[in-house]
Amino acid sequence: MDGLFEYDAPAGASEARGGAPARGGSLTGTDHASAPLAVRMRPRTLDELVGQPQLRAPGSPLRQLVEGDQSLSLLLWGPPGTGKTTIAAIVSGQTDRRFVEVSAVTGGVREVRAAMDSARAELAATGRETVLFVDEVHRFSKAQQDALLPGVENRWVTLIAATTENPFFSVISPLLSRSLLLRLESLGDDEIGEVVDQAVADERGLAGALSLSAEARDHLVRLAGGDARRALTYLEAAAGAARSQGRDEIDLATAETAADQAAVRYDRQGDQHYDVTSAFIKSVRGSDADAAVHYLARMIEAGEDPRFIARRLVILASEDIGLADPTALPTAVAAAQAVQLIGMPEARLNLAQATIALAVAPKSNAVTLAIDAAQADVRAGKIGQVPAHLRDAHYQGAKKLGHGATYVYSHDAPFGIAEQQYAPEVVADAEYYRPTALGAEAAVKERWERIRRLIRGSGPTG
């Protein structure tokens, strides 16, 4: 039936738990030499899983499911290549359960109900439980997700659903409430490097037949961007290129050719990281959108953390633009939220839009200068007492101390602005915020000058 795939756990999988050997077959396909490298190298146990330490910890829900034979339905949420399908394969391989996969791309309500009926019949006839794996569950319609509920609620199946999208937006609430949500994080460079090294040495991988130069390894790790599957795909392509050339080493040139992508000379812990980041910020500040997008592309291609880029844009929106374009900060924050919501590679579009918007926006550092000057005065000891009329007058005895006695409610004053002293005496004449006449801040400048005169009694204004 289209969209419905059934597997049995590999022979001997249950023996580690003392059960009878399960029937033959394998979800992973690791016994086939023609299988892709990423499939052959798929971890077979939780201990072989790289990364996700929070999921592998003793007593964790995943440990309970695999080793304690607990019936827990899981929602696995994380970026591509972080181990969602691998976890499903481990559950299949390490437990004596039937494994059924429903494709969210080609399957429908009919396939889901067929899987449920089959699981219920198997449980009634043999007592054997079924793991139902649904990849990309966010692609299921509400009706398809609704069809999963009876099996999950009655525990006819142990559901393992995987998604790259925020399940709070893409998965129906009843299914969320009946499943345990596990968040998977992108793998770090060290973890991706470990995956690559294992594939080079392991019998299921290159079996040590080829060596990998340090430069080529670094290139593959950067290209992976935290995606283990992508790293192994690039490694496999590079190994094929090296063999076709009669070489016994995968060097940088071979890796570049195989991945059809030149190595970006960029070390996230070295000078290039700081130099490119500095050039990126200065290009946005300097209003050169083309240069800014160039440096953005270099960071993206080098596998820079998109959250780092987004944070820099959020800072820049206030540091270098401020009220010259009040939409700059919401734009940068929206880009940062988009990075969290949809992830890479699609979030590159959000980062590019924010970069260009901030680059072409009018610039002002008046906000930066204002807070810098105010903090400098505070550090210099210019603190002073809060004026009595501004102090809290709500507690018993406060009025006897004169707190709030002469306070003028701003909304009762002309123009909604009351003439009274707000700052402590020691900084009563300080002028921290000095708006520019650039962009939208020009109107702010005009209004602030009028307000300042009204507040401080420097003369009437129209």
Side-chain angles (χ1 to χ4, degrees):
M1 184 178 295
D2 289 344
L4 183 61
F5 307 95
E6 180 178 341
Y7 306 88
D8 282 312
S14 63
E15 292 178 318
R17 296 171 45 251
R23 293 180 302 216
S26 173
L27 165 68
T28 63
T30 54
D31 52 338
H32 298 296
S34 61
L37 179 61
V39 172
R40 301 200 309 270
M41 288 303 302
R42 182 167 285 158
R44 296 158 294 189
T45 67
L46 279 182
D47 292 330
E48 289 184 4
L49 185 66
V50 175
Q52 316 307 334
Q54 76 283 3
L55 304 185
R56 296 184 287 111
S60 66
L62 192 55
R63 285 280 182 191
Q64 294 180 45
L65 178 62
V66 171
E67 298 174 355
D69 205 17
Q70 298 293 315
S71 295
L72 300 172
S73 288
L74 305 179
L75 274 173
L76 306 178
W77 173 28
T82 52
K84 298 184 295 297
T85 305
T86 292
I87 288 173
I90 289 172
V91 173
S92 169
Q94 287 199 271
T95 64
D96 187 23
R97 292 184 171 112
R98 287 173 66 243
F99 191 94
V100 177
E101 179 178 358
V102 176
S103 171
V105 177
T106 60
V109 173
R110 186 170 60 118
E111 284 75 19
V112 172
R113 288 177 177 164
M116 293 299 175
D117 291 342
S118 174
R120 189 177 183 183
E122 180 77 14
L123 186 63
T126 67
R128 191 176 181 215
E129 296 181 13
T130 297
V131 172
L132 177 63
F133 177 58
V134 181
D135 198 8
E136 298 186 90
V137 69
H138 56 271
R139 293 179 179 266
F140 264 3
S141 66
K142 182 181 182 299
Q144 290 169 307
Q145 292 187 34
D146 280 336
L148 294 168
L149 292 175
V152 173
E153 188 167 299
N154 295 294
R155 294 197 171 177
W156 300 334
V157 298
T158 295
L159 175 69
I160 301 181
T163 179
T164 57
E165 297 190 5
N166 190 328
F168 293 102
F169 295 103
S170 58
V171 177
I172 60 174
S173 297
L175 191 56
L176 269 175
S177 66
R178 290 166 173 80
S179 306
L180 190 64
L181 179 62
L182 300 182
R183 181 77 183 268
L184 283 73
E185 302 291 341
S186 293
L187 301 183
D189 284 357
D190 290 343
E191 292 165 333
I192 293 293
E194 183 180 344
V195 169
V196 170
D197 292 342
Q198 287 177 354
V200 171
D202 197 283
E203 290 295 325
R204 294 174 296 157
L206 305 185
L210 295 170
S211 61
L212 181 67
S213 75
E215 295 81 5
R217 180 184 184 275
D218 291 344
H219 180 49
L220 296 177
V221 169
R222 280 194 292 266
L223 288 181
D227 186 329
R229 187 187 302 112
R230 186 185 304 168
L232 294 176
T233 299
Y234 285 141
L235 174 62
E236 185 172 27
R243 290 192 186 100
S244 67
Q245 299 167 7
R247 305 170 63 91
D248 57 7
E249 181 189 50
I250 303 171
D251 58 13
L252 178 59
T254 304
E256 288 177 321
T257 301
D260 194 24
Q261 192 166 358
V264 179
R265 306 303 195 254
Y266 185 99
D267 179 1
R268 276 179 267 179
Q269 279 74 47
D271 292 341
Q272 281 291 314
H273 165 80
Y274 296 103
D275 289 346
V276 174
T277 302
S278 175
F280 172 64
I281 295 302
K282 289 172 182 174
S283 296
V284 177
R285 180 185 298 143
S287 301
D288 190 331
D290 292 329
V293 172
H294 166 79
Y295 291 118
L296 173 64
R298 284 175 63 169
M299 289 189 288
I300 291 173
E301 289 299 309
E304 181 62 80
D305 186 345
R307 295 171 297 179
F308 167 79
I309 302 172
R311 287 194 295 269
R312 294 304 310 168
L313 290 174
V314 172
I315 295 167
L316 183 142
S318 292
E319 182 180 16
D320 295 304
I321 298 174
L323 297 180
D325 184 350
T327 68
L329 182 57
T331 296
V333 170
Q337 291 173 334
V339 166
Q340 294 282 7
L341 180 63
I342 66 173
M344 296 298 276
E346 291 85 354
R348 68 191 178 93
L349 303 175
N350 309 113
L351 291 173
Q353 177 180 340
T355 296
I356 294 170
L358 269 56
V360 301
K363 304 298 189 295
S364 169
N365 68 342
V367 169
T368 302
L369 296 178
I371 188 60
D372 284 351
Q375 285 186 277
D377 276 355
V378 170
R379 293 191 189 107
K382 295 182 179 180
I383 305 294
Q385 294 293 321
V386 174
H389 58 281
L390 298 184
R391 296 180 190 176
D392 182 16
H394 291 87
Y395 63 90
Q396 188 175 5
K399 290 187 177 180
K400 292 182 180 180
L401 299 174
H403 292 187
T406 60
Y407 172 66
V408 180
Y409 188 50
S410 296
H411 296 290
D412 293 337
F415 310 108
I417 299 171
E419 177 188 338
Q420 59 189 337
Q421 182 175 331
Y422 290 93
E425 187 64 38
V426 69
V427 290
D429 296 325
E431 295 185 4
Y432 296 125
Y433 179 47
R434 299 173 181 267
T436 69
L438 301 172
E441 200 168 36
V444 176
K445 174 181 173 67
E446 182 180 352
R447 175 171 170 75
W448 173 229
E449 289 174 349
R450 292 201 310 268
I451 292 172
R452 181 184 279 149
R453 287 196 299 269
L454 278 172
I455 292 173
R456 301 186 181 181
S458 301
T461 182

